[in-house]
Amino acid sequence: MDWKPRSGLQYRAMNVAATNKRLIQVRWGIGGLILGGTLILTFFFSLPLPPTPLLLLGSIILIYNIFFYVISCRSVDCESKMEKTQRLIILQVLLDWVAMAFFLHFTGGITSPATPIFLIHLLVITILLPDSSPVLYLALVIGVVVLIAALEGWEIWEHYTVIPALACDVYKDPVYVLGQIVFFSTAAGVMVMLASAIMKRLRIHERQLEGLLITSQTVSSTLKLPEVLEHLVVSAARALNVSSASIRLLDATGENLRMEADTGLSDTYRSKGPVQVSRSLIDREALSGHIVLIHNAADDDRFQYKDQILAEGIKSVLVAPISGRAGVLGVLRVYSRKEARFGEDEVDYVQAIAAQGGIAIENAMTHAALQEEEEARSTFIHTVTHELRSPVAGAQSLVRILDAGLAGPIAEKQQSILQRVSRRLDFLQELINDLLTLASSSTHFQHKPEPTALEPMLQMVLDDFRPLAAEKAINLEANGIKPDWSVWAGEDSLKIIFTNLIGNAVKYTQEGGLIRLEASADETSVSVKVSDSGIGIPEEDLVNLWKDFYRASNARTSGIQGTGLGLSIVKRLIENLEGQIRVQSKEGEGTTFTVTLRRV
Amino acid sequence: MAAILMIDDDPDFILAVQMVLENAGYTFFSASNGEQGYQAVKEHNPDLVILDVMMDTATAGFQLALKLRGPDAEESLKKIPILMFSAIHETTPLRFEPDEEFLPVDDFLEKPVVPDTLLEKVEFLLERSG
């Protein structure tokens, strides 16, 4: 099963869904508490609560909670419903607020011991809905308390005296009422401010972590250096919520920092040329391992290109070193058009990003270096073997001339020696051709795979080998190859693969033996089996079979000529095509190679 | 008997082919680069030209073939059949079948020389061109 890391949006959606669920769950309790509490307090403790309105209120709360429960998404995948759920939450909050207002009224208005419940509700809202302005809720809550006090005080609304010990007119006493309101409002205000500030910090950290997660994912999703740098610089800018950032890497001399990736910077700024380490104090400091914070670029003289920075409108800059395992690679710069935009939090965060970036950049560079090495090696083999061709071919031609008697009669002894020379030269030529094929089979030289019809190519190779097979009285069969099958294959690679496999089968099968080709296919792939009744491959040789120049022990002692490169070439070509090859064999009985290729 | 001109920068090949063809009774001329080869064609007016695909430069053979057969070539030259020595894995921009547009030669031969094959192809081309 593929695990995919969650995006920030997915986490947010999960949180919204969880919030909604929690609100509904708590409301069951509250509704129940109101109903139960009313019954107990009224009938057991005989408090003068108005039972009917309260029971009604409790029931209504439970009813609208049922409605919300039913409407809410309860499936595992609620991400797509995030907006709807958010609207639902707001609706619930409003209804709760109305319900609480009535609850307050029915439990004594300004004298109600339940006023602190409003505070709880306010706190919950501030925490759960951080994107909205808490001041609005604060105003609503204070407003409703004041409204209730006013309506009851001026006798527009009936007052319920719930605590018998309290003087029955206290709700009209201005000192009492004012006192309650002032303390309540102060408590509410302070609480909202604190909670809000804490939530804000939490959200910033959450965003930063999310940013780090995304950076980590995108940066490790590719080994191509330009892409890694691009992802890094965009992530940094986005996570810090600034418009521009840049990455500069040290060049080979270690004297210049060249701009390798940037975002949000104008072309004029970008074209200003490499930063010379000797002339930029800022970058020297950063390269020595320290983060450099500039709050106002105008006041700072450590830049090499100060004018261009000011022209770009940049005020704050944060410069962090990017280090790999082997040393400093370059610098990451984040820019803002506001003064003093960056502080401790941002420093921490950029350091985290730069650390990740360093590792990713080093990996990409190593990968690129490896590929270059592989290409250089291939080119070398290619060039060398090419040079070997002419001399060998020339020598062979002349030996054949001699052997054919074209330069005069040749004695038998001389002819037998000439034939030995010729055989060695033949082998040399085969080796050269195989080496060239091997060198050409690296991805650098390969053509892009194209849809290739399988059947005609297999027939062609079989036809090539029929004369040789007939000489050895070997039965060559082919079954089940449908003419309409097409596979992804590069120019000539299929021919080389099957020429090698079928050629080996013919080479290593005794007189009177059997070679069979069978093919099968499913929706995504085609498999071709080449089986022979030949000398087989000893079990201990199977694991090394694909190595360059490897020949199985029985092949080496058989007197049959071979370079040991054939299977190595075949394996590389098949791997280039994203296919597979497997071998099964029993010494003395025969061998089966199964080639699986991607179907078109 | 027919006259055959071979253009190749490898003297060993020239010797090998010369021995095969002279033994079969043909008259044999040779040149070792594209320039000399072109002059030799004009001078000796051979019945068949054998070219190596690569000589002093990677495309020397190709270029000479174009000179003899291409749109700017003289008419008398265009009739001469051309046999080209090739090798697999050549890094020149050539296909492997003679094609009017890409490679104006009549047939290919691989190195090293196989005397019988060489003679077969030479005979076939000479007969065809009459």
Side-chain angles (χ1 to χ4, degrees):
Chain A
M1 191 174 70
D2 275 325
W3 176 82
K4 257 202 290 219
R6 293 182 193 275
S7 67
L9 193 63
Q10 280 176 312
Y11 276 118
R12 233 168 285 138
M14 272 166 64
N15 284 340
V16 166
T19 304
N20 186 37
K21 195 166 152 191
R22 202 145 303 145
L23 281 177
I24 296 176
Q25 279 174 342
V26 169
R27 209 172 290 113
W28 293 129
I30 295 190
L33 209 64
I34 295 180
L35 288 178
T38 309
L39 290 171
I40 295 177
L41 290 174
T42 325
F43 294 119
F44 279 109
F45 292 97
S46 308
L47 282 180
L49 287 173
T52 330
L54 280 173
L55 288 174
L56 200 57
L57 185 64
S59 314
I60 291 178
I61 289 176
L62 285 176
I63 288 174
Y64 75 66
N65 204 30
I66 291 175
F67 166 72
F68 282 121
Y69 179 75
V70 161
I71 269 202
S72 297
C73 163
R74 265 160 293 131
S75 65
V76 182
D77 166 39
C78 287
E79 284 143 29
S80 45
K81 307 250 177 73
M82 184 169 94
E83 269 189 42
K84 173 180 162 196
T85 313
Q86 276 173 329
R87 282 198 289 262
L88 221 57
I89 291 179
I90 294 183
L91 191 57
Q92 289 176 61
V93 164
L94 286 174
L95 280 178
D96 286 343
W97 174 73
V98 169
M100 276 196 310
F102 277 105
F103 182 71
L104 201 68
H105 170 59
F106 293 129
T107 51
I110 197 70
T111 65
S112 166
T115 7
I117 291 186
F118 260 116
L119 290 177
I120 297 176
H121 192 244
L122 204 53
L123 184 62
V124 164
I125 295 309
T126 314
I127 294 178
L128 289 181
L129 300 175
D131 297 330
S132 15
S133 166
V135 177
L136 182 63
Y137 289 114
L138 189 62
L140 279 177
V141 163
I142 295 176
V144 90
V145 168
V146 168
L147 192 65
I148 291 174
L151 288 176
E152 288 185 10
W154 289 325
E155 300 199 1
I156 303 173
W157 231 4
E158 182 189 344
H159 170 82
Y160 296 92
T161 308
V162 157
I163 302 174
L166 272 182
C168 47
D169 275 352
V170 75
Y171 71 95
K172 290 196 210 165
D173 179 36
V175 174
Y176 176 79
V177 170
L178 211 56
Q180 291 286 72
I181 291 180
V182 163
F183 275 98
F184 175 79
S185 310
T186 314
V190 167
M191 189 190 71
V192 163
M193 250 172 46
L194 279 175
S196 198
I198 293 175
M199 287 313 292
K200 196 161 153 212
R201 264 186 85 75
L202 270 176
R203 294 291 167 214
I204 290 179
H205 281 147
E206 195 181 80
R207 257 224 358 256
Q208 287 184 348
L209 275 173
E210 183 186 291
L212 262 182
L213 185 64
I214 293 180
T215 306
S216 165
Q217 284 168 25
T218 47
V219 147
S220 51
S221 70
T222 171
L223 273 173
K224 298 198 193 120
L225 188 57
E227 285 180 23
V228 167
L229 293 170
E230 183 74 32
H231 283 144
L232 209 50
V233 89
V234 165
S235 290
R238 201 179 290 158
L240 285 174
N241 214 10
V242 291
S243 55
S244 5
S246 72
I247 292 184
R248 288 174 179 277
L249 294 180
L250 282 171
D251 69 359
T253 64
E255 308 241 308
N256 296 315
L257 278 167
R258 227 166 305 123
M259 179 95 89
E260 302 282 349
D262 65 88
T263 177
L265 294 170
S266 72
D267 285 330
T268 25
Y269 184 77
R270 289 157 79 208
S271 59
K272 71 177 194 268
V275 167
Q276 289 157 299
V277 177
S278 52
R279 292 174 61 184
S280 167
L281 190 50
I282 287 212
D283 292 304
R284 275 218 300 285
E285 272 188 56
L287 288 171
S288 66
H290 306 115
I291 297 235
V292 182
L293 257 183
I294 290 130
H295 296 297
N296 191 345
D299 297 335
D300 210 305
D301 278 328
R302 295 178 282 177
F303 291 101
Q304 179 183 7
Y305 293 99
K306 183 164 165 178
D307 297 329
Q308 282 87 337
I309 290 203
L310 293 177
E312 188 78 3
I314 292 170
K315 298 251 170 61
S316 319
V317 185
L318 201 169
V319 188
I322 301 178
S323 300
R325 293 178 208 104
V328 180
L329 297 168
V331 295
L332 167 64
R333 283 198 196 176
V334 190
Y335 308 98
S336 169
R337 296 200 160 80
K338 295 197 210 142
E339 266 184 54
R341 169 73 176 72
F342 305 114
E344 275 309 308
D345 278 341
E346 283 79 24
V347 165
D348 273 342
Y349 190 52
V350 171
Q351 269 179 318
I353 294 189
Q356 263 187 3
I359 297 176
I361 291 173
E362 243 182 10
N363 286 344
M365 284 176 163
T366 309
H367 181 76
L370 270 173
Q371 288 206 308
E372 263 179 53
E373 245 179 66
E374 161 114 17
E375 272 174 36
R377 207 198 60 180
S378 282
T379 311
F380 178 70
I381 296 180
H382 209 265
T383 314
V384 165
T385 41
H386 220 269
E387 292 300 306
L388 288 172
R389 275 212 145 147
S390 292
V392 171
Q396 217 172 2
S397 306
L398 289 175
V399 166
R400 288 203 184 143
I401 300 297
L402 268 184
D403 189 50
L406 291 171
I410 307 278
E412 213 180 292
K413 224 173 176 177
Q414 293 170 328
Q415 197 170 43
S416 116
I417 291 180
L418 281 173
Q419 281 172 358
R420 283 178 186 247
V421 175
S422 194
R423 268 204 301 278
R424 303 310 288 271
L425 289 172
D426 275 343
F427 175 78
L428 203 49
Q429 185 167 61
E430 199 186 319
L431 185 58
I432 291 173
N433 283 340
D434 277 352
L435 278 171
L436 271 175
T437 313
L438 187 66
S440 309
S441 67
S442 79
T443 36
H444 179 57
F445 285 102
Q446 281 298 298
H447 298 273
K448 280 192 76 138
E450 314 170 319
T452 311
L454 188 61
E455 201 249 352
M457 190 280 318
L458 283 176
Q459 285 301 339
M460 193 162 69
V461 176
L462 284 170
D463 288 341
D464 278 343
F465 281 103
R466 274 187 215 284
L468 192 52
E471 266 180 45
K472 287 173 88 173
I474 295 176
N475 206 347
L476 206 50
E477 280 179 18
N479 297 329
I481 309 172
K482 298 258 170 28
D484 57 332
W485 287 342
S486 265
V487 293
W488 286 104
E491 206 176 303
D492 292 338
S493 53
L494 269 193
K495 183 150 192 256
I496 295 175
I497 292 169
F498 287 102
T499 302
N500 250 294
L501 291 176
I502 297 174
N504 277 351
V506 172
K507 219 162 59 164
Y508 293 106
T509 301
Q510 317 84 330
E511 307 230 339
L514 169 66
I515 297 175
R516 188 167 44 215
L517 248 76
E518 273 172 68
S520 61
D522 61 29
E523 268 182 35
T524 54
S525 60
V526 177
S527 289
V528 179
K529 272 198 169 87
V530 180
S531 320
D532 65 59
S533 62
I535 65 176
I537 303 166
E539 201 176 317
E540 61 270 13
D541 288 317
L542 282 175
V543 66
N544 293 317
L545 207 57
W546 312 104
K547 292 197 181 145
D548 291 347
F549 302 109
Y550 192 86
R551 296 190 74 208
S553 48
N554 58 348
R556 267 183 274 127
T557 54
S558 65
I560 302 171
Q561 193 162 278
T563 57
L565 283 175
L567 287 179
S568 159
I569 293 173
V570 163
K571 186 151 206 271
R572 268 177 222 244
L573 288 175
I574 291 179
E575 278 173 356
N576 282 345
L577 298 174
E578 290 173 28
Q580 265 189 345
I581 179 163
R582 287 193 313 279
V583 59
Q584 275 167 304
S585 182
K586 197 128 191 238
E587 187 172 3
E589 284 180 22
T591 308
T592 302
F593 282 95
T594 309
V595 178
T596 309
L597 295 167
R598 284 190 306 145
R599 189 175 176 181
V600 172
Chain B
M1 256 297 237
I4 301 181
L5 172 68
M6 176 163 171
I7 306 162
D8 194 324
D9 65 342
D10 188 330
D12 291 335
F13 272 122
I14 296 205
L15 179 60
V17 171
Q18 179 175 14
M19 295 193 77
V20 173
L21 292 179
E22 281 182 346
N23 185 265
Y26 294 101
T27 312
F28 184 83
F29 301 103
S30 70
S32 57
N33 64 41
E35 268 308 303
Q36 283 183 11
Y38 189 65
Q39 296 308 318
V41 172
K42 303 254 286 269
E43 188 185 318
H44 297 288
N45 200 16
D47 301 294
L48 178 78
V49 171
I50 303 181
L51 274 183
D52 190 0
V53 105
M54 272 170 62
M55 288 187 272
D56 38 350
T57 66
T59 53
F62 180 57
Q63 282 166 8
L64 184 52
L66 270 180
K67 238 173 152 179
L68 295 173
R69 285 284 182 85
D72 303 324
E74 297 172 20
E75 280 311 310
S76 56
L77 297 177
K78 285 194 188 177
K79 302 184 276 113
I80 309 176
I82 300 180
L83 184 56
M84 190 170 246
F85 271 121
S86 79
I88 17 170
H89 306 299
E90 287 299 350
T91 49
T92 44
L94 303 175
R95 301 285 187 80
F96 290 98
E97 293 88 43
D99 182 324
E100 279 301 311
E101 265 180 49
F102 287 94
L103 190 62
V105 302
D106 296 283
D107 202 353
F108 278 97
L109 199 52
E110 269 186 38
K111 291 186 179 184
V113 167
V114 179
D116 292 339
T117 319
L118 172 62
L119 285 175
E120 263 176 46
K121 298 214 172 197
V122 163
E123 272 169 37
F124 178 75
L125 286 178
L126 283 174
E127 264 179 50
R128 202 173 70 167
S129 70

Short mmCIF file of all heavy atoms in Angstrom, two decimals, chain A residues 121-147:
data_model
loop_
_atom_site.label_atom_id
_atom_site.label_comp_id
_atom_site.label_asym_id
_atom_site.label_seq_id
_atom_site.Cartn_x
_atom_site.Cartn_y
_atom_site.Cartn_z
N HIS A 121 -17.31 29.11 26.73
CA HIS A 121 -17.67 29.09 25.32
C HIS A 121 -16.75 29.98 24.50
O HIS A 121 -16.28 29.63 23.42
CB HIS A 121 -19.12 29.56 25.16
CG HIS A 121 -19.67 29.29 23.79
ND1 HIS A 121 -20.04 30.30 22.95
CD2 HIS A 121 -19.88 28.13 23.13
CE1 HIS A 121 -20.49 29.75 21.81
NE2 HIS A 121 -20.39 28.45 21.90
N LEU A 122 -16.47 31.17 25.02
CA LEU A 122 -15.58 32.12 24.35
C LEU A 122 -14.20 31.53 24.15
O LEU A 122 -13.59 31.65 23.09
CB LEU A 122 -15.50 33.37 25.22
CG LEU A 122 -15.12 34.68 24.53
CD1 LEU A 122 -16.00 34.93 23.35
CD2 LEU A 122 -15.22 35.82 25.52
N LEU A 123 -13.70 30.87 25.20
CA LEU A 123 -12.37 30.26 25.12
C LEU A 123 -12.34 29.18 24.04
O LEU A 123 -11.44 29.12 23.22
CB LEU A 123 -12.00 29.65 26.48
CG LEU A 123 -10.60 29.06 26.56
CD1 LEU A 123 -9.56 30.14 26.33
CD2 LEU A 123 -10.38 28.39 27.89
N VAL A 124 -13.36 28.35 24.10
CA VAL A 124 -13.43 27.26 23.12
C VAL A 124 -13.44 27.81 21.70
O VAL A 124 -12.74 27.33 20.82
CB VAL A 124 -14.67 26.38 23.38
CG1 VAL A 124 -14.96 25.51 22.18
CG2 VAL A 124 -14.49 25.54 24.62
N ILE A 125 -14.23 28.87 21.50
CA ILE A 125 -14.30 29.45 20.16
C ILE A 125 -12.95 30.00 19.73
O ILE A 125 -12.51 29.80 18.61
CB ILE A 125 -15.36 30.58 20.13
CG1 ILE A 125 -16.74 30.00 20.38
CG2 ILE A 125 -15.32 31.30 18.80
CD1 ILE A 125 -17.07 28.82 19.51
N THR A 126 -12.30 30.73 20.66
CA THR A 126 -11.00 31.32 20.29
C THR A 126 -10.01 30.25 19.88
O THR A 126 -9.22 30.42 18.97
CB THR A 126 -10.42 32.12 21.47
OG1 THR A 126 -11.43 32.93 22.01
CG2 THR A 126 -9.25 32.97 21.02
N ILE A 127 -10.06 29.11 20.60
CA ILE A 127 -9.11 28.05 20.29
C ILE A 127 -9.48 27.31 19.01
O ILE A 127 -8.65 27.03 18.16
CB ILE A 127 -9.01 27.05 21.47
CG1 ILE A 127 -8.40 27.75 22.67
CG2 ILE A 127 -8.20 25.83 21.07
CD1 ILE A 127 -8.31 26.87 23.88
N LEU A 128 -10.78 27.01 18.91
CA LEU A 128 -11.17 26.17 17.78
C LEU A 128 -11.28 26.92 16.47
O LEU A 128 -11.14 26.34 15.40
CB LEU A 128 -12.51 25.49 18.07
CG LEU A 128 -12.46 24.39 19.12
CD1 LEU A 128 -13.84 23.80 19.29
CD2 LEU A 128 -11.47 23.32 18.73
N LEU A 129 -11.60 28.21 16.54
CA LEU A 129 -11.77 28.95 15.29
C LEU A 129 -10.78 30.10 15.25
O LEU A 129 -11.17 31.25 15.31
CB LEU A 129 -13.19 29.49 15.16
CG LEU A 129 -14.31 28.47 15.17
CD1 LEU A 129 -15.66 29.15 15.17
CD2 LEU A 129 -14.20 27.55 13.97
N PRO A 130 -9.50 29.79 15.13
CA PRO A 130 -8.49 30.84 15.26
C PRO A 130 -8.46 31.81 14.09
O PRO A 130 -7.89 32.86 14.18
CB PRO A 130 -7.18 30.06 15.31
CG PRO A 130 -7.46 28.84 14.54
CD PRO A 130 -8.91 28.52 14.75
N ASP A 131 -9.03 31.42 12.98
CA ASP A 131 -8.95 32.30 11.83
C ASP A 131 -9.89 33.48 11.94
O ASP A 131 -9.73 34.50 11.30
CB ASP A 131 -9.26 31.52 10.54
CG ASP A 131 -8.23 30.43 10.32
OD1 ASP A 131 -7.08 30.62 10.75
OD2 ASP A 131 -8.60 29.39 9.75
N SER A 132 -10.92 33.33 12.74
CA SER A 132 -11.86 34.46 12.84
C SER A 132 -11.41 35.41 13.93
O SER A 132 -10.63 35.08 14.80
CB SER A 132 -13.26 33.93 13.13
OG SER A 132 -13.18 32.59 13.57
N SER A 133 -11.94 36.59 13.89
CA SER A 133 -11.53 37.60 14.86
C SER A 133 -12.21 37.35 16.20
O SER A 133 -13.43 37.35 16.29
CB SER A 133 -11.90 38.97 14.33
OG SER A 133 -11.82 39.91 15.37
N PRO A 134 -11.39 37.15 17.25
CA PRO A 134 -11.99 36.90 18.58
C PRO A 134 -12.69 38.13 19.13
O PRO A 134 -13.58 38.03 19.98
CB PRO A 134 -10.80 36.51 19.45
CG PRO A 134 -9.63 37.10 18.76
CD PRO A 134 -9.95 37.17 17.31
N VAL A 135 -12.30 39.28 18.65
CA VAL A 135 -12.91 40.52 19.15
C VAL A 135 -14.41 40.52 18.87
O VAL A 135 -15.21 40.97 19.67
CB VAL A 135 -12.24 41.75 18.50
CG1 VAL A 135 -12.91 43.02 18.95
CG2 VAL A 135 -10.77 41.77 18.86
N LEU A 136 -14.75 39.96 17.70
CA LEU A 136 -16.16 39.90 17.33
C LEU A 136 -16.94 39.09 18.34
O LEU A 136 -18.00 39.51 18.84
CB LEU A 136 -16.28 39.27 15.93
CG LEU A 136 -17.69 39.17 15.37
CD1 LEU A 136 -18.29 40.54 15.19
CD2 LEU A 136 -17.68 38.41 14.05
N TYR A 137 -16.39 37.91 18.66
CA TYR A 137 -17.09 37.05 19.63
C TYR A 137 -17.15 37.71 20.99
O TYR A 137 -18.15 37.61 21.71
CB TYR A 137 -16.38 35.70 19.74
CG TYR A 137 -16.57 34.86 18.51
CD1 TYR A 137 -15.50 34.55 17.69
CD2 TYR A 137 -17.84 34.40 18.15
CE1 TYR A 137 -15.68 33.79 16.56
CE2 TYR A 137 -18.02 33.65 17.03
CZ TYR A 137 -16.94 33.35 16.23
OH TYR A 137 -17.11 32.60 15.11
N LEU A 138 -16.02 38.35 21.34
CA LEU A 138 -15.98 39.06 22.62
C LEU A 138 -17.12 40.06 22.69
O LEU A 138 -17.89 40.11 23.67
CB LEU A 138 -14.62 39.77 22.74
CG LEU A 138 -14.30 40.37 24.10
CD1 LEU A 138 -14.25 39.29 25.15
CD2 LEU A 138 -12.96 41.09 24.03
N ALA A 139 -17.24 40.84 21.64
CA ALA A 139 -18.29 41.86 21.59
C ALA A 139 -19.67 41.23 21.69
O ALA A 139 -20.55 41.71 22.42
CB ALA A 139 -18.16 42.66 20.29
N LEU A 140 -19.85 40.11 20.94
CA LEU A 140 -21.16 39.45 20.97
C LEU A 140 -21.51 38.98 22.38
O LEU A 140 -22.63 39.17 22.87
CB LEU A 140 -21.14 38.23 20.04
CG LEU A 140 -21.35 38.49 18.56
CD1 LEU A 140 -21.24 37.19 17.78
CD2 LEU A 140 -22.71 39.11 18.31
N VAL A 141 -20.51 38.36 23.01
CA VAL A 141 -20.78 37.79 24.34
C VAL A 141 -21.05 38.89 25.36
O VAL A 141 -22.04 38.84 26.10
CB VAL A 141 -19.58 36.90 24.77
CG1 VAL A 141 -19.64 36.64 26.26
CG2 VAL A 141 -19.59 35.62 23.99
N ILE A 142 -20.18 39.88 25.37
CA ILE A 142 -20.40 40.98 26.33
C ILE A 142 -21.72 41.66 26.02
O ILE A 142 -22.52 41.98 26.93
CB ILE A 142 -19.24 41.98 26.29
CG1 ILE A 142 -17.97 41.30 26.76
CG2 ILE A 142 -19.56 43.19 27.16
CD1 ILE A 142 -16.74 42.18 26.67
N GLY A 143 -21.95 41.85 24.72
CA GLY A 143 -23.19 42.48 24.29
C GLY A 143 -24.42 41.76 24.80
O GLY A 143 -25.37 42.39 25.32
N VAL A 144 -24.39 40.43 24.70
CA VAL A 144 -25.59 39.70 25.08
C VAL A 144 -25.80 39.74 26.59
O VAL A 144 -26.94 39.82 27.07
CB VAL A 144 -25.52 38.23 24.54
CG1 VAL A 144 -24.88 37.30 25.54
CG2 VAL A 144 -26.91 37.76 24.20
N VAL A 145 -24.70 39.73 27.34
CA VAL A 145 -24.83 39.82 28.81
C VAL A 145 -25.42 41.18 29.18
O VAL A 145 -26.35 41.29 30.00
CB VAL A 145 -23.45 39.61 29.49
CG1 VAL A 145 -23.53 39.99 30.95
CG2 VAL A 145 -23.00 38.18 29.31
N VAL A 146 -24.87 42.21 28.55
CA VAL A 146 -25.38 43.57 28.81
C VAL A 146 -26.86 43.65 28.43
O VAL A 146 -27.70 44.19 29.16
CB VAL A 146 -24.56 44.61 28.04
CG1 VAL A 146 -25.24 45.96 28.06
CG2 VAL A 146 -23.16 44.72 28.61
N LEU A 147 -27.19 43.07 27.28
CA LEU A 147 -28.57 43.11 26.79
C LEU A 147 -29.53 42.45 27.77
O LEU A 147 -30.59 43.00 28.12
CB LEU A 147 -28.64 42.39 25.43
CG LEU A 147 -29.93 42.59 24.65
CD1 LEU A 147 -30.07 44.04 24.25
CD2 LEU A 147 -29.94 41.70 23.42
#
